[in-house]
Structures are given as C-alpha cells and as structure tokens.
Amino acid sequence: MSFSFDTKNELCRLPVQRRCCAQAEAYGILLYCHTFSSSEVRIITENPNFAARLPRLFQRAFDLSFDRRPDQDQSGKMVFQIRSREKLDHIIDQLGYDPRQSLALHINFAMVEEECCRAAFLRGCFFAGGSITDPFKRYHLELTGSHLQASRELEVLLRESGYPPKSVARNGSSVTYFKQSRQIEDFLTLIGAPAAAMRIMSAKVEKDIRNSVNRRLNCDSANLDKAVEAAQNQGACIRKLEAAGRLQELPDKLQETAALRLAHPELSLSELAELFDPPVTKSCLNHRLRKLAELAEGL
C-alpha cells in the first residue's frame, strides 16, 4: 500500500455527519474529480474505502444517489456517475451556481466560510485529486485538477488558511503542491489525518538521526585517516634518523618517544601518551614528535 492510499483510508474513517460539511467535502471532490459539468458527474477511484464513502456522502450532502455505481465486490477502477438532468441541476443549485447558465467552475467561498467546512472541502480535494509521497523518500503533497480558475482560488484559500503552496502547470492540469514537511503535516492534520502527519514527523526525526550519525561517522573516519597518516609520517621520520645513526645521539626523552611510536603505530596521541612512565600530556608528546620530524627534515 502507498502512503497516499493509507492516508486516504484514514480520512475515510471520519464520519459523515453535518450536512454543510458533507456538501463542502462533496464540493471538493466534484471540483477535482474526473468530470463535473452540467451534463455529467463522473468520479473514478481504485480505493474501496473511498468508494464505500461516496454514496453515503452524496446522500447526506444532496439527498440523491448515483445513477451508476460499481458492484459491491468490484476491484480495480470503480466509476460513479450521475447523468440525470434533475439530479445535476440540484447539485449545481446546492453549490451556489445557476443551473440555467453555463457552468464555469470556480470556488464558491460562501460554502467554505466555516472552519469545519473548509477542512471538509480540502479533504474532498485531496480525496479526488491529491497524492502524497512516502516521507522516507521525500516530502511532497500535491492536488491536481483540470479547472484552472478553481486551482487558483484553492491556492488563495490555502494561503488564507496559513498554508502557502506552490503551483505549476503539468500536462494540461494545474498542480498545487507543498514540499515543506511542516506544511504537509499541518495540512493533513487540518483535513483529518493526524496519524499520517505523525508518520511524517517520525520519518523526519529518523532521517535527522540517521544523517547525524552518518556525519559523525564520516567525521570520525576522516579524523582516523588523518591520525593514521600522521603516525606513518612520524614512523618514517624516526626510521630516517635511525638509519642515519642520529637516533642514539638524541636525549633520552626523544629516544623513548621514538621507540614507543615505532612499537605502537596504530595508537592515537592520547593513547600513546598514556604508555609513558610517568604518562605525559598529549601536547607534550606532540611537541616531541614534531622535534623528531624537524631533525629528520634537517638531514
């Protein structure tokens, strides 16, 4: 199951109660469904839970049933259709349009004045035209519709609600989308999918932890590489002094440092400093090793 499918299933569990909210949700579905005109309503879905919700929703919103609906056990693409002129005129009238005039689809803002109705309307838009990417891959929620004016007004509605989206034209359709995880979380919570919003939050936390661990490992690996390279250079300098017969002429402290470094090339400076008797500081050991390097360079 996709993340979009699971999110819509969560939304389908919300009850269909107040008539005004049912009309607002049905309105969003109609504006973003396959076909909504003065001659036909056609809604196509592959989600069985959404298919089960549609008849109840339209009955509550408009007191009518679909002229065509899929069989109860049908799978795959399911088509809901209304072609009755009387039913279509009733829907158009209920949504604030004039059935006698050409239907120019735009958002009737009087239908979404109440906060509950606005959330229901946006839920309907998401049901019919929405999709959301798995948050473990990337953050992206979009609403795709074929009515340009309605899409522009949806963008205005979202901005007024505190969710400023972006928009783009794609294959003749208008796409309103979010790419910020916080905006997507807030939008899903608003339309009634808090569990999906929590999954996005959890994914974000997990990715942040994973990225932090990777950065730490990369940093530790880089530091280890530097330490190994430094130890190799120190060993080369000490062997150069030894080959030239100069090592035995050095003070006891430098000879002890050289012997311990050759015996333990894998140790860090802190670990090597602990082997001295008595132990020396890391700064002191670093000073001795630099002195050995300078003497080797002077040969």
Side-chain angles (χ1 to χ4, degrees), residues 87-113:
K87 291 180 180 179
L88 290 169
D89 285 350
H90 178 65
I91 291 173
I92 292 170
D93 178 67
Q94 290 293 304
L95 297 180
Y97 303 113
D98 189 344
R100 297 166 297 179
Q101 296 182 357
S102 177
L103 184 60
L105 291 178
H106 61 88
I107 296 177
N108 177 5
F109 283 92
M111 296 282 295
V112 294
E113 285 184 349

Side-chain angles (χ1 to χ4, degrees), residues 5 21 37 60 85 119 123 155 213 237 269 280 290 298:
F5 193 89
C21 293
S37 68
R60 180 63 174 148
R85 185 67 196 185
R123 180 165 60 247
E155 185 175 346
V213 170
C237 291
L269 289 185
V280 299
R290 280 206 308 271

Side-chain angles (χ1 to χ4, degrees), residues 2-298:
S2 69
F3 190 72
S4 283
F5 193 89
D6 291 342
T7 301
K8 291 182 180 181
N9 282 345
E10 180 184 357
L11 293 172
C12 285
R13 290 192 287 271
L14 294 173
V16 179
Q17 293 179 332
R18 298 179 61 182
R19 184 181 179 86
C20 62
C21 293
Q23 285 188 345
E25 184 177 322
Y27 189 19
I29 292 171
L30 289 168
L31 286 179
Y32 277 81
C33 70
H34 185 272
T35 305
F36 177 34
S37 68
S38 57
S39 60
E40 181 187 20
V41 165
R42 181 187 291 264
I43 304 170
I44 301 175
T45 181
E46 294 185 7
N47 188 313
N49 292 310
F50 181 48
R53 183 181 182 84
L54 277 171
R56 301 196 309 271
L57 180 68
F58 273 66
Q59 183 64 44
R60 180 63 174 148
F62 307 116
D63 291 321
L64 55 78
S65 59
F66 287 96
D67 297 334
R68 173 190 172 188
R69 53 186 292 183
D71 296 333
Q72 192 169 5
D73 57 349
Q74 182 177 334
S75 60
K77 287 188 177 180
M78 292 168 279
V79 179
F80 293 81
Q81 189 177 37
I82 298 175
R83 301 199 69 177
S84 165
R85 185 67 196 185
E86 182 181 354
K87 291 180 180 179
L88 290 169
D89 285 350
H90 178 65
I91 291 173
I92 292 170
D93 178 67
Q94 290 293 304
L95 297 180
Y97 303 113
D98 189 344
R100 297 166 297 179
Q101 296 182 357
S102 177
L103 184 60
L105 291 178
H106 61 88
I107 296 177
N108 177 5
F109 283 92
M111 296 282 295
V112 294
E113 285 184 349
E114 298 295 330
E115 187 175 345
C116 59
C117 295
R118 183 174 300 188
F121 173 76
L122 294 173
R123 180 165 60 247
C125 295
F126 182 76
F127 268 136
S131 64
I132 181 170
T133 304
D134 185 337
F136 281 99
K137 296 178 180 178
R138 61 192 178 106
Y139 306 119
H140 185 87
L141 182 150
E142 65 179 42
L143 303 167
T144 305
S146 57
H147 307 295
L148 179 59
Q149 184 60 31
S151 295
R152 286 175 175 171
E153 291 171 347
L154 176 69
E155 185 175 346
V156 172
L157 181 66
L158 288 167
R159 289 186 184 280
E160 290 178 352
S161 301
Y163 312 109
K166 296 182 179 180
S167 60
V168 67
R170 183 195 301 153
N171 299 326
S173 297
S174 181
V175 180
T176 305
Y177 65 95
F178 300 105
K179 297 187 78 69
Q180 298 294 324
S181 61
R182 182 62 180 272
Q183 290 180 328
I184 297 173
E185 292 162 13
D186 291 344
F187 178 82
L188 291 176
T189 301
L190 172 68
I191 66 175
M198 284 299 298
R199 287 178 62 187
I200 294 176
M201 295 179 198
S202 297
K204 182 166 60 176
V205 170
E206 186 172 331
K207 286 197 290 186
D208 287 345
I209 292 174
R210 188 185 301 126
N211 291 337
S212 177
V213 170
N214 286 339
R215 285 193 297 269
R216 180 65 180 271
L217 290 175
N218 291 337
C219 181
D220 290 346
S221 178
N223 290 337
L224 181 61
D225 290 342
K226 290 179 181 178
V228 169
E229 182 179 359
Q232 290 174 342
N233 291 336
Q234 292 158 4
C237 291
I238 293 169
R239 285 188 290 272
K240 185 176 181 181
L241 290 169
E242 189 176 33
R246 292 289 304 279
L247 193 59
Q248 295 77 10
E249 301 173 1
L250 299 178
D252 293 342
K253 292 181 179 180
L254 290 182
Q255 290 190 43
E256 181 185 14
T257 299
L260 284 173
R261 173 42 88 194
L262 289 178
H264 304 283
E266 76 286 356
L267 297 183
S268 66
L269 289 185
S270 298
E271 293 169 332
L272 190 63
E274 293 292 329
L275 298 181
F276 284 80
D277 187 18
V280 299
T281 64
K282 179 180 175 181
S283 176
C284 175
L285 176 58
N286 192 40
H287 175 75
R288 293 182 185 181
L289 289 169
R290 280 206 308 271
K291 182 64 177 179
L292 290 170
E294 291 172 1
L295 292 171
E297 288 174 4

